[in-house]
Amino acid sequence: MIKKIYQKSPVLFQNIIISVYGLYWKNRRLGGVFDKEVKKFKEREAFTKIQWKDYQTHELRKLLKHAFDTVPYYNELYSKYGFKSSDFNTFEIEDLKRLPYLEKDDLRKYGTTTLVSSKKKKGTFLASSGSTGTPIKAYFTNKTHQIWSAVYEARVRNWAGVNHKMARGMIGGRRILPDANAKPPYYRYNMAEKQTYFSAYHLSPETVYNYLEGIKKNKVEYMVGYAVSNYLLADFIEKKGLDAPQLRAVLTSSEKLTQEMRETIERVYKCKVYDGYSGVESCGLISENKDGEFLFSNDTGIMEVIDEKGEDVSFGETGEVIATGFLNYDQPLIRYRIGDRIKLSKNQNTKSGIAMPVIDEIEGRMEDVITAKDGRKMVRFHGIFVNIPKLMVAQLIQNNIENYTINIVVEEGFSKGQELEMKRRLCSQVGEVSIEFNYLKDIPRKNNGKFRAVISNVK
């Protein structure tokens, strides 16, 4: 109901609706335990490697016992492997290899039922398909949201020299302009958080003037959001010969940030770019500090990096991430195959003196840029696949400007109605185009087990 009212309202009323919604999310994320947790995360940055191991061992034992006792999925699975509750009182980090993986398909199938704690507090399911094309949902309570927001404040914003009270610009996945052919302004303003939300789906050389107007008008101090979208905006500004105000920082996420993208953004805004990696599953955070070091926050969970045989890779090598999250007790994710790969740094000594694992590179987060008929450039099409019943895996391919293919893997019961909904969503994003659905048993994958969720054959 609110969504329909928003879509039909003038810009002024849309800003009011967004601000009311923003106030709700501000209280949800930044209230309660937020300040206390920020302080804790900052204090733990001084931990030594020995202190980190003791901390992680204690947290792991507590998490596993809770999962076995209150989460039906783990109780049944771990019992089959011969475990009982008391075994986790003396569990060591090295023992994790004795536990089975939690596959993404398991989270998709059981995430709203047996993979939720019987002692869960009141919360909500947040949907995402991430970069793998597999739709999933994660359960969040207010407290979990506040803890996750606290680690983001301490290890992302504060490491970049900014905070949540400053005016920020955001380029993200929300469809603030539902029409592909919408008129300017291409941004909306959330007064509750001094947040200017820019559309990720209307970026072009012709619209860049309006985006820059929004940055200046609302006195944006730092930008956050999709790496590619922030790069495209900066690139359009530079190529048009426009002057952007100097920002304090640009915080990128969701896609791989290349060196060219980083340099362009830093030239245009005359500030440093800070890249990061996480996900809606919230079972790990990798963020960049002022020394340019990518560090994994040990208090968000345990990150295993393994080879094809399931063995830990050596420093300097690349492997698959297996994540065990510490922050969400209402839906614990243990040995979760999140679907990404990283390269561990050979040199684990940091300039900053922070004793956290050093990461060289986060792989597997590249999506192609889609070019619409009117010249708009955009990324991140996960919204097309979210909450589509019986959809297991999906991949979007742009064959040419006006023709697309959607590869899908579905369960029995998937209907033409779901096809029509995905078509409607795509056309609302890129304009009227021809769409063919291709039903597969699985999406062809690369040697690393991943596939691009979005491919464009338009140069």
Side-chain angles (χ1 to χ4, degrees), residues 350-452:
T350 62
K351 296 178 184 176
S352 60
I354 299 175
M356 295 177 184
V358 185
I359 313 300
D360 272 349
E361 186 179 1
I362 304 160
E363 298 183 358
R365 293 191 295 153
M366 288 295 289
E367 286 187 7
D368 285 353
V369 176
I370 295 295
T371 303
K373 291 186 289 184
D374 59 4
R376 289 178 296 119
K377 295 184 180 294
M378 62 197 86
V379 292
R380 306 300 290 169
F381 287 78
H382 57 283
I384 297 170
F385 309 123
V386 166
N387 292 328
I388 297 293
K390 307 298 183 181
L391 176 64
M392 297 174 65
V393 187
Q395 180 185 49
L396 177 69
I397 300 176
Q398 183 182 31
N399 303 306
N400 55 52
I401 287 292
E402 297 187 359
N403 183 272
Y404 291 74
T405 297
I406 297 181
N407 292 327
I408 53 175
V409 180
V410 301
E411 295 177 325
E412 186 177 350
F414 184 86
S415 71
K416 288 292 182 180
Q418 274 82 55
E419 269 193 20
L420 291 173
E421 175 60 18
M422 286 189 282
K423 181 176 181 178
R424 183 195 67 77
R425 293 181 185 182
L426 178 57
C427 288
S428 74
Q429 200 162 314
V430 301
E432 286 299 319
V433 293
S434 172
I435 304 168
E436 177 185 357
F437 286 88
N438 187 23
Y439 288 74
L440 301 174
K441 290 185 178 179
D442 197 11
I443 307 291
R445 299 170 186 269
K446 298 179 181 178
N447 293 335
N448 63 8
K450 294 180 68 67
F451 65 88
R452 284 180 184 257

Side-chain angles (χ1 to χ4, degrees), residues 240-404:
K240 286 290 184 179
L242 304 175
D243 289 325
Q246 182 175 358
L247 303 182
R248 293 175 181 266
V250 176
L251 316 180
T252 57
S253 62
S254 298
E255 297 120 3
K256 185 178 178 64
L257 179 75
T258 66
Q259 187 61 30
E260 178 191 354
M261 291 161 62
R262 181 188 291 272
E263 290 173 357
T264 298
I265 296 171
E266 291 185 343
R267 278 197 310 272
V268 170
Y269 296 120
K270 304 175 187 66
C271 67
K272 180 172 168 52
V273 174
Y274 294 81
D275 196 21
Y277 162 85
S278 62
V280 72
E281 300 96 333
S282 68
C283 49
L285 174 69
I286 298 172
S287 51
E288 183 178 358
N289 65 12
K290 61 181 176 60
D291 294 303
E293 299 163 338
F294 287 93
L295 304 179
F296 175 78
S297 289
N298 286 325
D299 38 7
T300 61
I302 292 175
M303 178 185 65
E304 301 172 69
V305 186
I306 62 170
D307 59 22
E308 63 276 2
K309 296 180 181 178
E311 300 298 324
D312 293 333
V313 302
S314 301
F315 294 123
E317 295 182 351
T318 299
E320 178 187 357
V321 174
I322 306 297
T324 297
F326 286 161
L327 306 184
N328 193 345
Y329 270 61
D330 300 286
Q331 187 182 58
L333 301 184
I334 301 166
R335 298 213 79 204
Y336 176 49
R337 296 186 75 169
I338 199 164
D340 289 314
R341 294 171 61 82
I342 66 170
K343 181 181 180 182
L344 291 173
S345 179
K346 192 167 186 178
N347 180 13
Q348 289 293 312
N349 296 317
T350 62
K351 296 178 184 176
S352 60
I354 299 175
M356 295 177 184
V358 185
I359 313 300
D360 272 349
E361 186 179 1
I362 304 160
E363 298 183 358
R365 293 191 295 153
M366 288 295 289
E367 286 187 7
D368 285 353
V369 176
I370 295 295
T371 303
K373 291 186 289 184
D374 59 4
R376 289 178 296 119
K377 295 184 180 294
M378 62 197 86
V379 292
R380 306 300 290 169
F381 287 78
H382 57 283
I384 297 170
F385 309 123
V386 166
N387 292 328
I388 297 293
K390 307 298 183 181
L391 176 64
M392 297 174 65
V393 187
Q395 180 185 49
L396 177 69
I397 300 176
Q398 183 182 31
N399 303 306
N400 55 52
I401 287 292
E402 297 187 359
N403 183 272
Y404 291 74

Side-chain angles (χ1 to χ4, degrees), residues 153-154 156-163 166 221-222 248-249 251 274 288-290:
E153 180 77 2
V156 180
R157 287 197 183 106
N158 290 177
W159 279 8
V162 297
N163 61 63
M166 296 176 179
E221 296 181 75
Y222 67 100
R248 293 175 181 266
L251 316 180
Y274 294 81
E288 183 178 358
N289 65 12
K290 61 181 176 60

Side-chain angles (χ1 to χ4, degrees), residues 8 65 84 137 150 168 170 178 240 242 348 404:
K8 295 180 179 179
K65 187 169 177 59
K84 53 185 183 294
K137 291 182 178 180
R168 71 182 185 274
M170 169 75 177
K240 286 290 184 179
L242 304 175
Q348 289 293 312
Y404 291 74

Side-chain angles (χ1 to χ4, degrees), residues 6 11-27 29-30 157 164-170 174 176 187-198 214 218 220:
Y6 174 86
V11 173
L12 175 61
F13 286 102
Q14 287 183 342
N15 285 336
I16 292 173
I17 292 172
I18 284 178
S19 297
V20 171
Y21 187 68
L23 181 61
Y24 161 75
W25 277 100
K26 179 180 180 180
N27 292 333
R29 292 183 286 107
L30 307 180
R157 287 197 183 106
H164 70 277
K165 296 179 181 179
M166 296 176 179
R168 71 182 185 274
M170 169 75 177
R174 290 197 179 279
I176 57 168
Y187 57 90
R188 298 294 184 266
Y189 189 62
N190 166 14
M191 292 177 281
E193 297 187 87
K194 293 192 290 186
Q195 176 199 49
T196 306
Y197 205 108
F198 296 94
N218 295 327
V220 169

Side-chain angles (χ1 to χ4, degrees), residues 93-128:
I93 295 174
E94 294 76 16
D95 294 330
L96 272 172
K97 293 286 191 293
R98 299 165 57 195
L99 300 179
Y101 300 126
L102 172 65
E103 302 288 349
K104 202 150 208 169
D105 196 45
D106 294 326
L107 178 57
R108 187 184 64 81
K109 287 181 179 179
Y110 308 113
T112 60
T113 55
T114 57
L115 252 172
V116 181
S117 171
S118 60
K119 294 186 177 181
K120 72 179 186 298
K121 302 297 189 294
K122 183 180 178 181
T124 187
F125 286 98
L126 301 180
S128 170

